[in-house]
Amino acid sequence: MRKKSSYSADGDSDKITADSPQPNHEQKKKKTFSTAKYDFSRHSDTLDRRKVEKVLAAAQLTADNWTPPMKSASSSPKHSPAAADEQTEDKMLNARIRRRVDMRSPWSCTLFTLLATLASILLMLFTLHSFMTRQLDSKGCDMYYTRSLFFNFADFDTEHTRFATKYSLHLYREIGFDEDSKVKGVPVLFIPGNAGSYRQARSLASETVQHYYNTVQQDKEALKAGATSIDFFSVDFNEDFTAFHGQTLLDQAEYLNDAVAYILSLYHDPRRSQRDPSLPDPSSVILIGHSMGGVAARTMLAMPNYQSNSVNTIITMSAPHARSPVSVDADLVRTYQRINDHWRESYSQKWASDNPLWHVTLISIAGGTLDTTVPSDYASLSSLVPSTHGFTVFTSSIPGMWTGADHNQAVWCVQLVRPIARSIFEAMDVHRSSQTKPRAERMRVFKRWYLTGMEETAEKSLPHKEPSTLLTLEDQSNSVNPAGKRLVLRNMGQTEKPKAHVLPIPPQDMPGQRKFTFLSNLPLEENANGAHLDLLFCSVLPLQPGHSAAVFSLDIDLSDGRAGSTRLACKNAASDRISLPASYRTSVYPFDKTPSFSYLQYDLDDLGEHQFVAVLDKSADSSHAWAFAEFSDNSESVIHVKTGLQRLLAFGTRLKLPAGRPLVTTFDIPALHSSLLAFKLRMGKQACGEEPEMFTPLLRQYLSEPHESRYFVNVKEANVSLHGIAPFMPPPLRTQATSNSLSLQFWTDPTCDSSVDVSLQIDIAGSLGKLVMRYRTVFAAFPLLVVALVLRKQFKLYDDSGAFVTFMESMDFCLRTSMPLLFMALTFLAISLAVSSSTTSTPTSTGWAVWRANTTESALDFTKNDLLLGSQDPIFWFLVPMFGLLSAGLCVIINYTALVVIRLLQLPLRILTSRPASTRKETAKRILLPAFSATSPKRRIVTASVLLLLVSTVIPYQFAYLVACIVQLATCVRASRNAQENRSEANANFYNYAHSIFILMLCVLPINIPVLVVWIHNLAVHWLTPFSSHHNVLSVMPFILLVETLTSGRIVPRTTTRLTYITDVFFFLIAIYAAVYGISYAYLLHHLVNCVAAWLMVLHFSGSDFSLSRLTRILESHDEEGGDVKKRP
């Protein structure tokens, strides 16, 4: 039987016919660029097949630097005209073939593609450089050192939990303080995050131990209020990769509930507990979670094995609550959605009795811009928890910390662990079985420790206090400040005895909204011996009929016993003190060790029952201490900047602090709310005349939700950026009562009676750097869009002309035509989505992605920002073409990297398969029978079957996919060598086809790697329980079959029927999905490309005589004798 020629992969796609008409000159002009390149494969110059074969062989031998033997003189006449014509035609055809081979080199690149790639690389490098060098916060965290001791609970075994062989529970003790393994205090459980260690609890646990034994144990008031020691537990998850795998997150949550039940049981066992028998046994555990540990803590409350009310306080650090940090695992995305829906639905209940989370408080602490592991935007709780049950705060807002923290610093930063430890002690109540105060009191405690105190919702303690100080003043004293005049105190301590400076409080009926502000560089302390300054709010006695002086704990008489004195009943305002970082000419960072400023502010409504403000200077020695106090109108202290965002971006804005300004001036800029923008602020110098300034300008930039404040001391220039409205973030659970825009708050020396200019300009480089954290995952989706368009063009040209062009040729076509059009359409789609997202949400009927606020509120679509780039502002339309250009450049880099790897892998292959020169010459004579060695069909079928069997039982399909990528790489190496040694259209077509499929598989590989890492980690810790969600053989079978088919060296057959439109539509749909849904649902990209692989297998089988009977014969047949590898005919 006559075999088909191997010149064409499908037998007829590249066959040259002798009777095809030769186009005239006019017809050649009408040819397009793409069809003219393949003119040789579409017609012949009236040559017969043997002549073409001869010329092809000559071209190959010439390319291999081998000269065939000269013909004898008798073979043909030397001077025959026919021979001369034949030689001329041979030379022309030979030259055309060489040009064609050079043009179709996989390394070739047009100038246009080169320029586009260079632009992409430069933009990428510039963005990365901006991310690493621009708009960076200074690191101010101090390291915490401990002497730790951990006790492992070996009896917490498989009788208590099915994960006992994988995870373990430990109890922390501090050497030198408490080395006993028995429980005796309030249980607190630390939950590590992704790849975290149980030892990360050391700093926080050590702080609780030292604070209790050094401070709380000696504080009778604290002990009476319910404070006691803390039993600090920690969980060892064997450094599980929770952020990559949803099932691992569920396993950890189930184990944590079992651990909580076991911890609570310890207090019932007299052999394990030293707790005071008069106290109630604990019924709940305080949870502290870091990173994904915080998400696991929230997941616990939605698990079937959760004990009701066993958790009522959760504090998380750098935890991505709002959305999954990556979307490569379907289980993880679904778990996030289910957990978040549970929390939203719980807080949507009308009655507290129907809300299982009514007593739960959730505090989320974010690290800010220094956290380059998880975007701090994801730590927001605005879409999950109402403000009555939790809030989000940034570390730069926490009083006394005033600095950001990277992802791991949160667990050992001294400035952070101290307020967390102290807030826990203040929130606990050992006299209650829950071991904590009621929810409302806990919230007040956490707000006092974590928030600045300047928030509009901040609660003041002054109106709820009783007068505790009796102040007696002489009636004729000159210490009463005139009404409406600012109080300025310099060089305090000039007198030997205390002196009172009194300001009358304006009446309530005065027009405008007025407030009181106070600032000093001295600390304010209540009932403290040796205090240098007191701020008192006073009323004239008697407050009530029959009120006696015996009720006051402090009596201050400044009248020297003279008659006609005035007695005032006063409240000390020290409990409402707000700490501000000190700002002097020598100040550099807000977290410097310089003693902080004391600041107080009250609305006039909070002072309704008082008539005077008394500033009591009790300094015994003269010092450089100072103080300011004044009443100001909000219309003077708050300035609304009405400049629009477009004008701000184009020209910036100039602000002016007037000469007669108040102590505090706030600029509210509603147009600035995006986390993608960064600005440069520059402040002019203030002139103070002859008197030296008492402090340099202090700047606070802040957002109301989430609670983010950043301080700049001795400000001249400042990097302004925020975590406001961020891409892909769900809408807030409740309508926000306050503006979510940027505000700039300035404290300036009011004695410097001069105006100060402030300018705010866009920082383009810094704004580009902000894109890195928010859009890192875009490179898991957009490159697949580019590759899908390239493959779509390759298949289209192949079906039209029979030539499968190189990846770079197709990239050049797409960069000129389809990519600009598609990215233009996606840009308009992004604008439309941003406009619709910024409008009021409308009710929707889809149940799986919707939360009902209550029976009267409209349903919110919490997934409305998941599409495309997730931007909620149309001004960022340019990001679509920008990421398209970056992705195209990345695909070019991936292509050339793959080419380099393939070329390097050819070197050992050449050494192993090298042949003598005579053999190469003999092979060259038979160029039309390329020697692409392939395994037998039986071996390929058996290999694929074994791999699929392993997928269905032991290994996840991600591992099989990695194997398929390696096999495809090997196929590309062999195909590349074959195409170089035996230059023909068929070999070049097959190599280009195999190479493009390999690039496609590489783009999908990052989606599969994280789950594969989790599986390998589980093997390392001897956890062999299979992943039930990753053993679907259909998820990888098309890839395996396609790769095994390509090992035979067969290219996909051409389709000249309407089936070609199916291939076209498949790749186009992948491109569209990768752009619109790929970032939020990246795991589906694997399955879409898997469908394309299945379709390609259909095309392969449609061009072969495959049948079940033939498959049976293959399985029953044996390899050729001697084990020789078969050659593809």
Side-chain angles (χ1 to χ4, degrees):
M1 183 174 65
R2 185 170 177 265
K3 295 183 179 180
K4 289 184 180 180
S5 172
S6 61
Y7 176 70
S8 173
D10 56 0
D12 61 354
S13 61
D14 295 316
K15 185 175 181 180
I16 300 178
T17 58
D19 56 351
S20 60
Q22 183 173 354
N24 56 28
H25 182 69
E26 296 297 329
Q27 290 174 332
K28 291 181 179 179
K29 286 184 177 181
K30 294 181 181 180
K31 292 190 175 198
T32 63
F33 174 74
S34 59
T35 57
K37 291 179 70 174
Y38 314 113
D39 182 69
F40 172 70
S41 63
R42 304 291 291 169
H43 73 280
S44 65
D45 296 342
T46 65
L47 302 176
D48 58 15
R49 183 173 182 79
R50 285 178 295 178
K51 182 182 294 184
V52 175
E53 293 174 355
K54 180 181 68 175
V55 175
L56 285 172
Q60 171 64 28
L61 298 177
T62 303
D64 290 345
N65 297 323
W66 178 72
T67 304
M70 299 295 294
K71 294 184 179 181
S72 62
S74 59
S75 61
S76 62
K78 286 185 180 182
H79 304 288
S80 171
D85 293 342
E86 182 179 346
Q87 292 177 1
T88 302
E89 293 173 351
D90 290 349
K91 291 179 181 179
M92 293 176 59
L93 190 58
N94 192 13
R96 186 153 55 241
I97 292 174
R98 281 199 296 267
R99 286 196 303 268
R100 174 63 182 280
V101 172
D102 293 338
M103 178 179 58
R104 295 193 57 198
S105 170
W107 297 89
S108 63
C109 179
T110 63
L111 179 61
F112 179 78
T113 305
L114 179 62
L115 293 177
T117 304
L118 290 178
S120 173
I121 294 175
L122 291 177
L123 180 59
M124 192 180 305
L125 293 177
F126 183 66
T127 302
L128 292 176
H129 180 266
S130 300
F131 170 69
M132 294 184 291
T133 60
R134 304 294 293 267
Q135 293 283 332
L136 298 180
D137 288 346
S138 300
K139 295 183 178 181
C141 280
D142 297 329
M143 179 74 76
Y144 203 102
Y145 297 95
T146 68
R147 301 177 63 191
S148 57
L149 178 65
F150 284 94
F151 291 95
N152 181 24
F153 292 94
D155 57 341
F156 184 45
D157 51 19
T158 54
E159 293 184 2
H160 298 85
T161 177
R162 64 190 182 100
F163 298 101
T165 58
K166 184 180 183 182
Y167 304 142
S168 57
L169 180 66
H170 302 266
L171 174 64
Y172 178 89
R173 291 304 187 209
E174 181 84 1
I175 297 177
F177 288 91
D178 186 2
E179 303 179 18
D180 189 3
S181 63
K182 293 184 178 182
V183 296
K184 57 181 69 71
V186 173
V188 175
L189 177 61
F190 177 81
I191 308 172
N194 182 63
S197 170
Y198 71 97
R199 293 183 175 273
Q200 290 177 318
R202 290 175 296 182
S203 298
L204 185 55
S206 176
E207 176 62 25
T208 60
V209 173
Q210 296 188 41
H211 181 66
Y212 172 75
Y213 285 100
N214 295 333
T215 304
V216 176
Q217 201 173 36
Q218 286 76 37
D219 189 347
K220 295 181 179 180
E221 292 295 329
L223 295 175
K224 184 179 179 181
T228 186
S229 62
I230 291 179
D231 296 322
F232 216 102
F233 298 85
S234 184
V235 179
D236 183 8
F237 284 139
N238 271 315
E239 301 181 0
D240 257 349
F241 294 97
T242 327
F244 301 154
H245 197 233
Q247 186 59 49
T248 300
L249 177 61
L250 294 175
D251 292 346
Q252 290 187 0
E254 180 181 342
Y255 177 81
L256 289 170
N257 280 324
D258 295 335
V260 167
Y262 176 79
I263 290 172
L264 294 177
S265 68
L266 295 176
Y267 294 87
H268 298 279
D269 187 355
R271 298 170 300 175
R272 309 294 297 271
S273 174
Q274 289 182 347
R275 187 179 174 89
D276 187 351
S278 63
L279 297 176
D281 291 329
S283 62
S284 67
V285 176
I286 299 174
L287 301 182
I288 299 178
H290 174 245
S291 185
M292 289 299 294
V295 181
R298 284 199 308 115
T299 307
M300 293 171 57
L301 279 65
M303 296 295 291
N305 66 332
Y306 170 67
Q307 295 184 10
S308 180
N309 297 324
S310 61
V311 173
N312 66 9
T313 303
I314 303 176
I315 301 175
T316 66
M317 300 173 288
S318 304
H321 292 292
R323 60 181 281 118
S324 171
V326 293
S327 59
V328 297
D329 179 53
D331 284 347
L332 184 62
V333 175
R334 296 191 190 104
T335 300
Y336 253 89
Q337 186 174 359
R338 184 169 64 87
I339 300 309
N340 288 349
D341 286 346
H342 172 74
W343 280 69
R344 290 164 183 156
E345 291 171 1
S346 297
Y347 288 116
S348 69
Q349 302 302 318
K350 184 177 182 180
W351 304 105
S353 58
D354 298 329
N355 182 5
L357 306 178
W358 178 255
H359 298 290
V360 176
T361 56
L362 175 61
I363 309 301
S364 176
I365 303 175
T369 56
L370 289 180
D371 189 348
T372 56
T373 303
V374 174
S376 291
D377 307 284
Y378 292 179
S380 174
L381 299 176
S382 61
S383 64
L384 299 170
V385 178
S387 58
T388 56
H389 290 73
F391 58 85
T392 304
V393 62
F394 283 73
T395 57
S396 57
S397 302
I398 298 178
M401 185 169 183
W402 298 320
T403 180
D406 66 30
H407 200 67
N408 291 324
Q409 280 180 342
V411 297
W412 53 257
C413 181
V414 173
Q415 294 93 323
L416 180 58
V417 299
R418 283 178 178 170
I420 292 178
R422 284 156 174 75
S423 66
I424 293 176
F425 277 105
E426 194 169 335
M428 71 169 57
D429 186 356
V430 73
H431 304 106
R432 297 165 54 94
S433 62
S434 63
Q435 303 298 289
T436 57
K437 292 180 171 65
R439 176 188 54 81
E441 295 186 31
R442 293 200 307 272
M443 287 297 297
R444 281 194 288 269
V445 169
F446 294 138
K447 287 181 179 180
R448 185 164 58 251
W449 279 101
Y450 301 145
L451 301 186
T452 62
M454 292 177 280
E455 294 78 11
E456 293 185 7
T457 58
E459 298 182 10
K460 303 295 184 180
S461 62
L462 182 69
H464 308 290
K465 296 175 64 175
E466 294 294 331
S468 59
T469 302
L470 178 62
L471 179 63
T472 306
L473 300 176
E474 183 183 356
D475 285 347
Q476 303 299 324
S477 174
N478 295 322
S479 60
V480 179
N481 219 50
K485 186 177 180 181
R486 177 186 299 126
L487 174 65
V488 179
L489 301 178
R490 292 176 179 268
N491 301 323
M492 300 172 62
Q494 298 290 338
T495 59
E496 296 181 358
K497 64 178 183 178
K499 183 177 182 180
H501 303 270
V502 181
L503 281 79
I505 297 177
Q508 298 286 328
D509 55 356
M510 287 190 64
Q513 295 182 348
R514 303 182 68 82
K515 66 179 181 181
F516 171 78
T517 53
F518 172 86
L519 183 67
S520 176
N521 62 345
L522 290 178
L524 290 176
E525 299 179 12
E526 190 171 10
N527 300 327
N529 295 326
H532 297 282
L533 181 67
D534 282 339
L535 183 66
L536 307 175
F537 289 86
C538 307
S539 301
V540 179
L541 274 180
L543 289 177
Q544 296 177 354
H547 197 89
S548 65
V551 299
F552 300 104
S553 59
L554 183 63
D555 186 0
I556 302 176
D557 189 354
L558 303 180
S559 64
D560 293 332
R562 298 175 183 176
S565 60
T566 302
R567 296 196 307 169
L568 302 177
C570 302
K571 299 178 183 179
N572 196 317
S575 59
D576 290 332
R577 174 183 181 265
I578 299 171
S579 295
L580 293 179
S583 180
Y584 300 108
R585 290 191 178 277
T586 57
S587 300
V588 179
Y589 302 112
F591 49 82
D592 288 340
K593 305 305 180 183
T594 309
S596 61
F597 289 169
S598 297
Y599 176 68
L600 282 170
Q601 65 177 28
Y602 291 100
D603 291 333
L604 203 57
D605 295 337
D606 297 330
L607 308 178
E609 61 181 275
H610 306 288
Q611 290 89 38
F612 301 97
V613 179
V615 179
L616 193 60
D617 180 7
K618 299 191 295 184
S619 300
D621 300 322
S622 177
S623 63
H624 295 289
W626 47 263
F628 299 94
E630 67 177 9
F631 288 91
S632 59
D633 197 324
N634 283 348
S635 61
E636 299 176 356
S637 59
V638 179
I639 302 174
H640 298 280
V641 181
K642 299 181 180 180
T643 308
L645 181 59
Q646 291 82 359
R647 184 174 181 82
L648 277 173
L649 297 180
F651 307 105
T653 185
R654 292 189 176 275
L655 312 173
K656 181 180 286 292
L657 296 173
R661 61 186 176 273
L663 172 65
V664 184
T665 305
T666 302
F667 291 97
D668 184 20
I669 312 176
L672 297 186
H673 49 70
S674 175
S675 62
L676 299 180
L677 297 176
F679 292 85
K680 275 286 187 182
L681 182 142
R682 293 177 174 84
M683 188 172 183
K685 186 177 180 180
Q686 60 178 358
C688 290
E690 297 180 358
E691 291 287 345
E693 61 183 358
M694 286 180 277
F695 67 97
T696 54
L698 170 66
L699 169 62
R700 170 193 174 223
Q701 68 146 83
Y702 69 93
L703 288 175
S704 299
E705 180 58 41
H707 298 289
E708 180 186 20
S709 295
R710 297 174 63 202
Y711 294 91
F712 303 90
V713 297
N714 192 22
V715 60
K716 299 180 181 67
E717 290 188 357
N719 294 324
V720 177
S721 61
L722 59 149
H723 292 82
I725 298 178
F728 307 109
M729 291 294 292
L733 190 68
R734 297 283 192 270
T735 302
Q736 297 178 358
T738 58
S739 173
N740 195 32
S741 58
L742 176 69
S743 296
L744 301 176
Q745 195 169 23
F746 292 89
W747 285 264
T748 55
D749 189 341
T751 61
C752 299
D753 195 13
S754 63
S755 61
V756 180
D757 293 328
V758 179
S759 65
L760 191 66
Q761 300 287 336
I762 182 69
D763 184 359
I764 298 178
S767 299
L768 282 177
K770 298 299 178 184
L771 299 177
V772 176
M773 284 302 298
R774 277 79 179 187
Y775 285 112
R776 292 181 301 178
T777 55
V778 76
F779 294 105
F782 267 54
L784 187 58
L785 178 153
V786 175
V787 174
L789 291 180
V790 170
L791 274 164
R792 174 175 172 265
K793 189 66 175 179
Q794 285 179 302
F795 274 92
K796 190 173 183 180
L797 292 175
Y798 175 60
D799 292 336
D800 290 343
S801 63
F804 204 96
V805 300
T806 64
F807 186 87
M808 290 306 299
E809 285 182 277
S810 182
M811 174 70 77
D812 181 70
F813 291 143
C814 294
L815 286 175
R816 297 173 186 269
T817 55
S818 58
M819 282 189 196
L821 293 176
L822 180 58
F823 287 126
M824 184 182 300
L826 292 175
T827 300
F828 285 111
L829 177 61
I831 295 174
S832 175
L833 292 173
V835 171
S836 63
S837 176
S838 59
T839 57
T840 304
S841 301
T842 56
T844 56
S845 59
T846 54
W848 68 277
V850 171
W851 164 80
R852 292 188 176 182
N854 53 43
T855 57
T856 61
E857 294 183 353
S858 300
L860 291 176
D861 182 7
F862 289 98
T863 62
K864 68 177 184 178
N865 297 325
D866 288 351
L867 305 182
L868 205 56
L869 296 181
S871 176
Q872 304 176 42
D873 200 324
I875 202 169
F876 298 109
W877 61 267
F878 63 90
L879 292 180
V880 175
M882 174 183 167
F883 287 130
L885 178 63
L886 291 175
S887 299
L890 182 61
C891 289
V892 173
I893 295 174
I894 293 174
N895 174 66
Y896 280 111
T897 303
L899 289 174
V900 171
V901 173
I902 291 172
R903 183 60 60 89
L904 292 177
L905 292 178
Q906 287 181 19
L907 299 178
L909 183 63
R910 289 180 183 273
I911 297 174
L912 294 175
T913 61
S914 59
R915 293 169 294 177
S918 59
T919 306
R920 292 198 299 269
K921 293 179 180 180
E922 185 65 25
T923 304
K925 294 180 182 179
R926 297 182 280 108
I927 184 174
L928 296 180
L929 295 176
F932 191 91
S933 58
T935 57
S936 66
K938 176 182 177 181
R939 186 174 302 175
R940 294 199 301 272
I941 293 174
V942 171
T943 302
S945 300
V946 171
L947 193 56
L948 292 175
L949 179 62
L950 292 176
V951 169
S952 64
T953 56
V954 180
I955 65 175
Y957 70 78
Q958 288 84 358
F959 181 82
Y961 182 82
L962 178 62
V963 173
C965 290
I966 297 174
V967 174
Q968 183 64 17
L969 174 62
T971 300
C972 290
V973 173
R974 295 159 57 206
S976 175
R977 184 196 174 196
N978 189 44
Q980 293 175 20
E981 294 183 350
N982 305 324
R983 299 198 176 188
S984 69
E985 190 74 16
N987 294 335
N989 282 346
F990 176 74
Y991 170 69
N992 293 336
Y993 171 61
H995 180 81
S996 297
I997 295 297
F998 179 60
I999 298 297
L1000 178 65
M1001 297 178 69
L1002 283 182
C1003 290
V1004 182
L1005 186 60
I1007 301 174
N1008 294 279
I1009 288 297
V1011 176
L1012 185 60
V1013 170
V1014 174
W1015 179 70
I1016 295 175
H1017 175 268
N1018 282 353
L1019 292 181
V1021 298
H1022 308 291
W1023 183 254
L1024 305 179
T1025 302
F1027 299 156
S1028 58
S1029 58
H1030 299 291
H1031 291 278
N1032 187 356
V1033 294
L1034 296 180
S1035 298
V1036 76
M1037 184 171 66
F1039 284 115
I1040 295 176
L1041 295 179
L1042 178 62
V1043 167
E1044 288 295 332
T1045 301
L1046 292 183
T1047 59
S1048 65
R1050 289 188 174 88
I1051 193 174
V1052 63
R1054 292 173 59 190
T1055 55
T1056 56
T1057 62
R1058 293 184 178 180
L1059 293 179
T1060 186
Y1061 295 110
I1062 299 180
T1063 307
D1064 190 271
V1065 169
F1066 259 125
F1067 284 111
F1068 185 75
L1069 289 179
I1070 288 179
I1072 295 297
Y1073 184 90
V1076 179
Y1077 295 96
I1079 300 177
S1080 297
Y1081 306 98
Y1083 63 91
L1084 285 176
L1085 295 176
H1086 171 93
H1087 301 293
L1088 289 177
V1089 178
N1090 188 50
C1091 293
V1092 171
W1095 172 246
L1096 294 179
M1097 284 306 305
V1098 171
L1099 295 181
H1100 273 283
F1101 286 140
S1102 66
S1104 64
D1105 54 348
F1106 175 80
S1107 63
L1108 292 177
S1109 59
R1110 185 168 181 267
L1111 178 62
T1112 303
R1113 290 197 301 270
I1114 291 174
L1115 294 175
E1116 292 177 352
S1117 64
H1118 299 279
D1119 293 345
E1120 291 183 359
E1121 207 172 299
D1124 294 336
V1125 178
K1126 296 183 179 180
K1127 309 296 183 183
R1128 181 179 66 83

